[in-house]
Amino acid sequence: MKLHYRQGNYLFHGSPCKTDCLQPRQAHDTEYEAGCQKAVYATDNLDMAVCFALGVEGDENSERTMMPEYGMKMLFKNCHPRYGQKGYVYVLNKEEFVHAMGSQWVAYKSQIPIDIIEIEVDDYADDYCIITE
């Protein structure tokens, strides 16, 4: 992965979907109002973006959570990452965003990435996932 982006004026957005332009979407966070805005969300933590790039396959009983007590890992409950597929980490200009909370940043208008890093889910799943039933 292009690790030179870890330093500098960049933010990251992880997604299982590839696009040339990220659009603001309504987010839903059960604990924090700052996580419920219609915006493009990004993080200053590249590892966190990778977790979201892994995607999820499951059903209505599935849960995907990222909490500090898990470290830089995504907890998958009754589901799993999109094995055998690709994920995407979008590199974004930090100057286009405002700080929301913690490592979370938001932009209220569409964002064209500086770069799109394609990853293979299988290359990251063991290091970034905790899978439970």
Side-chain angles (χ1 to χ4, degrees), residues 2 42-43 45 56 89 96 105:
K2 301 175 183 177
T43 177
N45 186 312
V56 63
V89 175
E96 298 288 323
W105 296 70

Side-chain angles (χ1 to χ4, degrees), residues 92-104:
L92 304 163
N93 182 352
K94 190 175 187 177
E95 293 175 6
E96 298 288 323
F97 288 76
V98 294
H99 187 246
M101 63 180 209
S103 64
Q104 200 171 79

Side-chain angles (χ1 to χ4, degrees), residues 17-33:
C17 304
K18 188 172 185 181
T19 183
D20 294 330
C21 182
L22 297 171
Q23 301 293 332
R25 295 191 181 188
Q26 183 63 52
H28 304 280
D29 189 317
T30 58
E31 292 189 39
Y32 303 102
E33 188 174 328

Side-chain angles (χ1 to χ4, degrees), residues 14-88:
S15 174
C17 304
K18 188 172 185 181
T19 183
D20 294 330
C21 182
L22 297 171
Q23 301 293 332
R25 295 191 181 188
Q26 183 63 52
H28 304 280
D29 189 317
T30 58
E31 292 189 39
Y32 303 102
E33 188 174 328
C36 296
Q37 302 178 61
K38 183 174 182 179
V40 175
Y41 279 79
T43 177
D44 54 23
N45 186 312
L46 179 57
D47 293 324
M48 186 177 291
V50 169
C51 288
F52 283 95
L54 301 176
V56 63
E57 290 183 348
D59 58 26
E60 65 276 355
N61 297 316
S62 300
E63 230 179 278
R64 181 175 72 157
T65 310
M66 187 161 208
M67 299 293 285
E69 57 263 32
Y70 307 133
M72 272 304 115
K73 293 183 180 244
M74 182 76 73
L75 174 67
F76 291 81
K77 188 173 182 181
N78 298 317
C79 58
H80 57 82
R82 298 171 66 235
Y83 293 119
Q85 298 185 49
K86 297 183 184 311
Y88 304 91

